[in-house]
Amino acid sequence: MPEPLRLGIAGLGTVGTGVVRIIQKHAALLEARCGRPILISAICARNRAKDRGVDLSSYVWEDSATALARRDDVDVLVELVGGDSGPAKAATETALASGKDVVTANKALLAHHGQALAEQAEAAGRVIRFEAAVAGGIPVIKALTEGLAGNQMHRVMGVMNGTCNYILTRMESAGLPYDEVFEEARKLGYLEADPNLDVGGIDAGHKLALLASIAFGTQVSFDAVELEGIGRIAIEDIRHAADMGYRIKLLGVAQMTGRGLEQRMSPCLVPADSPLGQLQGGTNMVVLEGDSVGQIVLRGPGAGEGPTASAVMSDVLDIARGTRISTFGLPAAQLAMPTPAKAAAPAPYYLRMTLLDKPGALAKVAAALGDAGISINRMRQYGHADTTAPVLVVTHKTTRDAIDHACRGFATTGVVIGEPVAIRIEAV
Ligand code: HSE
């Protein structure tokens, strides 16, 4: 009789409940697939009285995640508590110190403490798996650590926050401003308890930092991710971008360059007919580029009970089968400390500004761009008001520094009204 793999599940929110449901529904299938039964020994959650719609009566209830992590009848802690410190961190450390493997969906914890936890796991001969932490149901950690292990990775990109993609695509389809769609998203329950985790780009930045570590063999360095959220995206830019053949996405890009590791999570224009440009609603997409494979595009649900629990179960099954992989794909001691690139690689930019509609105004704008060393690729003007005219410019490749230089120049022309908008155009 094969030894069962015994789980302790900490956290019975949407994902934890989903994991219990899969284990109950597919017990025979899971056992057949990994050659041993997957059992739940004990669980813990904040609210014991809540009806979660699953039968929890045969599991031992623990008062704390840390107590759960210490139990002799638990082989694997499934940490679904969340948060970058507090009980999630304490329970993870306790589990590793008590000789248990850890499966977690906690991107914040690993983005902040990934290196230390990976070192602790390896010193204890245990593993930490975190498929559910990045892009929900998309098996991107497995794709990078296993499927693409034979490649030198060039670039990883992704739309990895479904809430932001919902907001941006809904703004475009309904022609509504950001604030209104943000409120809709709140009412629909799409936003995290701290909405800035979503719309500030932090949640997606955590995910990007984890992917970059695996892709480039570097220590997780979330602090070096250049972060910008979607709060300043105006409906005008979404419309104008569409007119110029682009869509605006909260896009994460990580690449190793001669100047160091570049990690950016920011609104970007992407071609409307590219896979990223066509991504609608709360769906996630990850694009992986390796030297041998070329480009891989993975698309799927980035959140929700079923997809996230599905990813947790993939890690549980790996452990049950005896598959043991270093946390970030390399032994922790071999992960290099990355040098952050000081500036992003040059790219074309989209500029939108409002001009006084009078002779010579456009020439002054063109001169300010020329002064900054920026070459114009395309320019459009339409929708004039009485005395003003909007101007849209797509530049040739340039740097953010040059764009800032040009914007300082615009301010001295006396014809540019208000702040110009500048958004990077990413080649995807
Ligand atoms: N709030 C995230 C999203 C899911 O909207 O994609 C959890 O990372």
Side-chain angles (χ1 to χ4, degrees), residues 107 160-163 190 192 198 203 207 284 302-303:
K107 60 229 76 169
M160 294 181 285
N161 184 277
T163 305
Y190 289 177
E192 299 280 339
D198 287 316
D203 165 81
K207 296 166 183 168
N284 281 199

Side-chain angles (χ1 to χ4, degrees), residues 40-300:
I40 300 171
S41 296
I43 52 182
C44 81
R46 256 197 309 244
N47 182 354
R48 186 166 178 174
K50 183 174 165 186
D51 179 7
R52 295 171 169 85
V54 282
D55 180 6
L56 302 172
S57 57
S58 56
Y59 314 136
V60 175
W61 272 87
E62 273 292 355
D63 288 337
S64 77
T66 308
L68 186 78
R70 275 199 205 98
R71 290 182 64 91
D72 288 340
D73 59 356
V74 165
D75 303 311
V76 179
L77 172 72
V78 180
E79 187 276 298
L80 303 171
V81 175
D84 63 22
S85 52
K89 180 164 180 275
T92 300
E93 289 168 346
T94 302
L96 296 173
S98 311
K100 287 126 184 22
D101 296 320
V102 175
V103 171
T104 180
N106 193 333
K107 60 229 76 169
L109 176 70
L110 292 176
H112 289 281
H113 307 290
Q115 181 65 23
L117 290 171
E119 285 172 10
Q120 190 192 342
E122 282 173 27
R126 309 320 307 172
V127 295
I128 304 175
R129 303 309 308 146
F130 58 96
E131 185 67 73
V134 180
I138 301 178
V140 61
I141 303 298
K142 218 173 216 326
L144 263 181
T145 50
E146 298 178 50
L148 301 177
N151 286 259
Q152 174 153 18
M153 298 308 295
H154 290 319
R155 183 167 71 154
V156 298
M157 292 187 286
V159 168
M160 294 181 285
N161 184 277
T163 305
C164 288
N165 203 53
Y166 166 81
I167 291 175
L168 293 171
T169 51
R170 172 90 178 132
M171 283 171 75
E172 180 175 356
S173 62
L176 292 171
Y178 173 81
D179 290 342
E180 223 168 292
V181 179
F182 177 91
E183 267 319 306
E184 265 187 24
R186 186 202 292 283
K187 284 188 188 133
L188 289 165
Y190 289 177
L191 287 157
E192 299 280 339
D194 172 4
N196 198 41
L197 285 176
D198 287 316
V199 297
I202 299 165
D203 165 81
H206 288 152
K207 296 166 183 168
L208 183 71
L210 300 181
L211 291 186
S213 169
I214 301 171
F216 305 115
T218 48
Q219 296 188 15
V220 183
S221 56
F222 169 67
D223 290 346
V225 178
E226 195 185 307
L227 277 185
E228 186 189 332
I230 61 167
R232 292 193 314 160
I233 299 298
I235 181 67
E236 288 79 6
D237 291 311
I238 288 185
R239 274 199 208 110
H240 291 312
D243 288 349
M244 311 273 278
Y246 297 104
R247 291 229 162 81
I248 301 181
K249 297 288 169 194
L250 178 67
L251 183 67
V253 180
Q255 57 191 343
M256 188 60 84
T257 71
R259 297 160 298 103
L261 177 63
E262 192 178 319
Q263 302 179 92
R264 290 181 275 115
M265 181 57 67
S266 59
C268 290
L269 269 67
V270 296
D273 59 2
S274 63
L276 282 163
Q278 291 183 357
L279 191 69
Q280 294 289 313
T283 309
N284 281 199
M285 183 172 282
V286 186
V287 179
L288 308 170
E289 294 173 351
D291 61 349
S292 297
V293 76
Q295 190 182 71
I296 301 279
V297 178
L298 302 170
R299 176 184 181 282

